[in-house]
Amino acid sequence: MTKDNNMGWNFDNSYARLPSIFYSHQQLNPVQSPQLVVFNEAVANSLGLNSAALQRQEGVDMLGGNDIPSGALPLAQAYAGHQFGHFNMLGDGRALLLGEQITPSGRRYDIGLKGSGRTPFSRGGDGRAALGPMLREYIISEAMHALGIPTSRSLAVVTTGETIQRETELPGAILTRVASSHLRVGTFQFAAQWASKEELQILADYAIERHYPKIDMTQGNRYLQLLQAVLERQAKLIAKWQLVGFIHGVMNTDNMTISGETIDYGPCAFMDTYNPATVFSSIDRQGRYAYGNQPPIGGWNIARFAESLLPLIHDNEEEAVTLAQAVIEQYPRLYNANWLTGMRAKLGIFNEEQQDGKLIDELLTLMEQYEADYTNTFRAFTLNNCQGTPLFDSTAFKQWYEQWQARRQRQEESEAASQQLMHDNNPAIIPRNHRVEEALEAAVTQGDYQVMDKLLQALSQPYAYTAEQEEYTKLPAPTDCPYQTFCGT
Ligand code: AMP
Ligand code: MG
């Protein structure tokens, strides 16, 4: 019996059964003194893990990468990707996959450590992560989950007792990340570039079995169906991002999952003032991943996925391209349909009218013109309290408002039902940048995690509209320097 038999680990390692080109087995890179600073009981419970045992030193040693849980088989995944449009070989340079936890309800989740040390894919990097960015990923990913957006989750953050060198010396940390899988568009790009066709096919079949089990493996063109299914999930996901004003920041193909979950929280942030050109990431100088560009970039990434599948779609390349093209072409329409449905809900509209798109566009134009806060505008609609901002005071808005009310009358559902629909679709709060920074500052520089705990608590029910959440709806004080996020590498 191993000493962690009471932890609840129940690993399987299906990824490690793929051809060896897809990973590199790894030893652990122990750290000086792992200390637990954040732990997610809800996630631990849903995974069937023993929360109490995991929070004791034996458990913390595992979350810090100093000890291997029984049944785990640590490996670094190989992948490639287009980074800001340029193709590179990448791979887990600072992460390890411990294995897949099979939950009591039979679901399979990757358990990974981020910041766990060097691997063959580290290139020049140290394989480590700083505490601030790991806490940031914890906060934002948990907020996204609460908002109802598919995402990786965060089980724990452990400090390493070591410092790492960035622009300054920073405390090191390791995040335990939980995801449906870490299969990425970039995993397929890697396979298409460096693996055999047979290996590519094994990977694709694996992805189908793991994420799209409804696809029939025996008839039809299953790889075309895989492309279609991934496209649908990505179109849905990015529409959800847009609807809450989330900006991922690094939509490189290695950061786009096959499962349709959001992963790799780096320089991401939520938009305050509505402006499609909003970019927070310090490295995104061209605005490639600006808020307004996320939907077309999602399509671009899907096209890269399609390219990697071409050899499986048809033996004749021209034929394969024609078939794939017909699927990819659906992306803009599917994205728009998802977005429009979501926007209607944000405006309390149940039924569809031809002119809805125009009504929404007019609102967004006004919001941009009057520099309205994205979240708070829809929150005000939900609370039926449209006053006290330059937007709400404008004549143009008042005209729009009349049209909107007339539109809401043209549906069977009651006023109350319409209001409830808005309530369910317009978050009262989001992780506003100044509040996230405040929480990180307290945690990283003072070791005070109360600010973060309180923020996490508020963010755990974004549609609750409670009195305690009120303070988190306030905007940052005006500043001359735009908010900037950094990659945290
Ligand atoms: P990311 O920006 O986190 O998506 O990472 C892009 C690539 O850089 C991935 O291959 C990472 O594994 C790698 N990488 C990021 N940070 C580090 C680091 N500190 N050490 C080694 N590799 C890293
Ligand atoms: Mg990445």
Side-chain angles (χ1 to χ4, degrees):
M1 257 207 287
T2 52
K3 65 181 176 181
D4 59 337
N5 61 345
N6 64 340
M7 301 272 172
W9 293 117
N10 182 26
F11 277 111
D12 183 45
N13 301 286
S14 66
Y15 193 88
R17 294 194 286 274
L18 290 176
S20 62
I21 188 169
F22 291 115
Y23 55 85
S24 154
H25 284 296
Q26 290 299 294
Q27 307 284 331
L28 295 180
N29 296 292
V31 297
Q32 221 162 60
S33 58
Q35 248 193 348
L36 188 65
V37 290
V38 198
F39 188 78
N40 196 329
E41 300 243 359
V43 168
N45 291 339
S46 70
L47 289 170
L49 295 173
N50 181 340
S51 281
L54 260 181
Q55 292 178 75
R56 287 195 285 270
Q57 198 56 48
E58 281 175 6
V60 175
D61 283 344
M62 294 167 186
L63 301 172
N66 279 13
D67 194 7
I68 302 177
S70 67
L73 201 54
L75 58 83
Q77 295 184 320
Y79 53 86
H82 276 89
Q83 297 182 298
F84 292 91
H86 304 284
F87 187 72
N88 292 313
M89 173 59 207
L90 301 166
D92 284 335
R94 57 159 171 174
L96 284 181
L97 175 67
L98 291 178
E100 301 133 29
Q101 170 78 0
I102 310 300
T103 71
S105 61
R107 302 182 69 146
R108 176 183 299 267
Y109 287 100
D110 274 10
I111 308 291
L113 301 180
K114 187 166 171 181
S116 47
R118 288 181 54 80
T119 76
F121 307 115
S122 297
R123 293 169 290 163
D126 61 2
R128 294 295 180 192
L131 177 58
M134 294 307 98
L135 294 176
R136 198 157 192 288
E137 168 152 352
Y138 189 105
I139 297 170
I140 310 282
S141 62
E142 286 306 297
M144 291 285 274
H145 171 74
L147 283 163
I149 300 175
T151 176
S152 64
R153 306 268 323 255
S154 300
L155 175 63
V157 178
V158 162
T159 50
T160 59
E162 298 171 4
T163 55
I164 61 170
Q165 192 59 44
R166 293 296 180 261
E167 272 170 24
T168 57
E169 273 204 354
L170 298 170
I174 294 175
L175 172 88
T176 306
R177 180 159 71 170
V178 179
S180 289
S181 86
H182 288 82
L183 293 175
R184 311 142 192 268
V185 168
T187 315
F188 283 83
Q189 291 181 291
F190 166 81
Q193 185 79 15
W194 287 291
S196 66
K197 183 178 163 188
E198 196 192 349
E199 287 162 335
L200 173 66
Q201 180 162 9
I202 291 170
L203 179 72
D205 287 343
Y206 177 73
I208 292 172
E209 253 179 72
R210 193 156 170 188
H211 296 298
Y212 301 96
K214 290 205 180 106
I215 294 178
D216 191 333
M217 300 295 270
T218 58
Q219 48 181 313
N221 190 329
R222 63 183 187 268
Y223 305 110
L224 208 53
Q225 291 177 55
L226 173 64
L227 174 61
Q228 173 87 35
V230 173
L231 178 146
E232 284 171 15
R233 290 236 186 122
Q234 283 292 340
K236 206 176 246 180
L237 177 70
I238 293 166
K240 282 178 184 273
W241 290 358
Q242 299 304 100
L243 291 164
V244 297
F246 173 75
I247 302 173
H248 183 281
V250 216
M251 287 177 69
N252 294 336
T253 53
D254 57 300
N255 294 337
M256 307 309 291
T257 58
I258 299 307
S259 67
E261 282 178 356
T262 314
I263 57 156
D264 239 332
Y265 291 87
C268 59
F270 281 72
M271 172 173 67
D272 291 311
T273 306
Y274 176 72
N275 186 338
T278 307
V279 175
F280 293 116
S281 169
S282 61
I283 54 170
D284 191 2
R285 299 210 173 80
Q286 313 289 318
R288 178 180 169 94
Y289 300 137
Y291 174 76
N293 279 349
Q294 295 191 128
I297 287 289
W300 193 89
N301 288 340
I302 287 293
R304 305 289 78 76
F305 180 52
E307 282 166 6
S308 70
L309 290 177
L310 287 178
L312 304 180
I313 289 173
H314 204 285
D315 285 336
N316 177 306
E317 194 181 332
E318 235 172 272
E319 193 73 24
V321 170
T322 308
L323 289 167
Q325 197 67 39
V327 175
I328 297 171
E329 274 166 11
Q330 302 169 39
Y331 175 86
R333 185 182 53 76
L334 272 176
Y335 164 77
N336 267 310
N338 279 298
W339 180 79
L340 204 53
T341 303
M343 268 294 169
R344 283 195 182 99
K346 287 176 83 67
L347 292 173
I349 298 172
F350 288 92
N351 61 347
E352 292 180 17
E353 281 187 10
Q354 196 64 43
Q355 295 296 301
D356 290 341
K358 189 163 163 277
L359 184 76
I360 294 161
D361 283 345
E362 283 170 7
L363 170 66
L364 293 175
T365 303
L366 289 174
M367 283 169 66
E368 185 176 352
Q369 190 181 338
Y370 288 93
E371 301 181 0
D373 180 79
Y374 183 75
T375 304
N376 283 357
T377 300
F378 288 100
R379 179 174 174 271
F381 291 172
T382 308
L383 296 170
N384 199 7
N385 182 22
C386 297
Q387 53 187 349
T389 69
L391 171 70
F392 294 153
D393 292 342
S394 71
T395 313
F397 176 80
K398 285 172 183 151
Q399 283 165 359
W400 180 87
Y401 187 87
E402 292 309 314
Q403 282 185 58
W404 174 38
Q405 296 316 311
R407 172 66 186 84
R408 285 174 74 199
Q409 300 298 315
R410 294 196 298 275
Q411 58 186 353
E412 284 173 10
E413 289 78 2
S414 67
E415 172 88 27
S418 167
Q419 216 67 34
Q420 186 61 45
L421 184 63
M422 287 194 265
H423 200 286
D424 296 341
N425 286 277
N426 295 323
I429 65 163
I430 49 155
R432 288 198 187 270
N433 305 317
H434 63 300
R435 302 312 298 256
V436 173
E437 290 304 320
E438 170 193 63
L440 297 184
E441 168 79 18
V444 176
T445 62
Q446 274 128 59
D448 170 8
Y449 284 81
Q450 281 176 24
V451 187
M452 178 171 157
D453 285 344
K454 203 169 150 234
L455 175 64
L456 284 169
Q457 186 60 35
L459 292 169
S460 69
Q461 287 188 299
Y463 303 100
Y465 284 78
T466 62
E468 296 80 57
Q469 290 176 333
E470 200 91 359
E471 63 164 304
Y472 293 103
T473 68
K474 300 206 179 92
L475 303 183
T479 153
D480 293 337
C481 353
Y483 184 67
Q484 270 212 328
T485 54
F486 301 88
C487 239
T489 47

